[in-house]
């Protein structure tokens, strides 16, 4: 887990705002007892997690494809080739939706804007170091090989979430049940 206490506060605020904004149908699925705290979520989402990422074509048609997703500092990050349709869509229309599912034990739906991250910044350098922890020593060489092949670095983006809906089966995820009354307060 790489989240700071401030990251966790912001993530919890996002989860609470998203829960409060749900419609009747979604409230029937994501009931208070199926919620998860920001800290529990960040603790669980370590390593690479497949995201199904949706972008939009110039004429408004959705395009959905998997990406290697990384939950880092309370946000989803992902990369692609600089010449990919996904990155072209994001450069032109940054609104995205993404879903991560672990069977029926955990589901995360995020809506927001993908921001391509400048690789010279400290946030990117910290993110890159975290991916090297996951992939090991070959990762920096792989990134250098892609840069040579493509003539530019592989771009990475972070989803600036406007909404993040999360549901869980606490038991299936190995989390303790919420104490009586706490589910109502969340």
């Amino acid at each position: 887990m790489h989240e700071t206490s401030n990251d966790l506060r912001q993530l919890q605020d996002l989860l609470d705002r998203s829960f409060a904004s749900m419609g009747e149908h979604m409230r029937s699925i994501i009931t208070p007892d199926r919620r998860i705290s920001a800290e529990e979520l960040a603790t669980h989402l370590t390593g690479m997690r497949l995201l199904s990422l949706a972008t939009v074509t110039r004429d408004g048609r959705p395009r959905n494809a998997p990406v290697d997703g990384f939950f880092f500092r309370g946000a989803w990050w992902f990369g692609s080739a600089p010449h990919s349709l996904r990155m072209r869509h994001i450069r032109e229309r940054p609104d995205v939706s993404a879903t991560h599912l672990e069977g029926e034990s955990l589901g995360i739906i995020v809506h927001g804007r993908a921001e391509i991250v400048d690789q010279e910044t400290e946030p990117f350098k910290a993110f890159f170091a975290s991916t090297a922890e996951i992939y090991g020593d070959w990762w920096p060489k792989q990134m250098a090989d892609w840069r040579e092949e493509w003539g530019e670095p592989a771009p990475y983006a972070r989803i600036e979430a406007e909404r993040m809906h999360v549901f869980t089966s606490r038991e299936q995820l190995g989390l303790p049940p919420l104490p009586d009354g706490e589910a109502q307060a969340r």
Side-chain angles (χ1 to χ4, degrees), residues 4 24 65 72 83 95 100 102 104 108 123-124 137 144-145 149-150 153 155-156 158 165 167-168 186:
T4 66
E24 183 179 335
F72 179 76
H83 57 276
D95 292 320
H100 171 68
E102 295 178 21
E104 292 186 18
I108 303 167
F124 180 82
D137 294 340
D145 289 350
E149 178 183 342
W150 297 331
Y156 276 81
R158 175 182 55 236
H165 302 288
F167 63 90
T168 184
R186 275 204 183 153

Side-chain angles (χ1 to χ4, degrees), residues 116-163:
I116 297 175
V117 181
D118 180 346
Q119 295 188 9
E120 298 303 316
T121 63
E122 286 308 313
F124 180 82
K125 290 175 183 176
F127 164 73
F128 185 77
S130 75
T131 60
E133 290 172 13
I134 296 164
Y135 290 128
D137 294 340
W138 71 271
W139 186 237
K141 181 177 179 338
Q142 181 64 52
M143 292 290 286
D145 289 350
W146 285 336
R147 183 180 193 130
E148 184 176 320
E149 178 183 342
W150 297 331
E152 59 184 299
Y156 276 81
R158 175 182 55 236
I159 300 175
E160 298 296 332
E162 296 164 3
R163 295 283 182 257

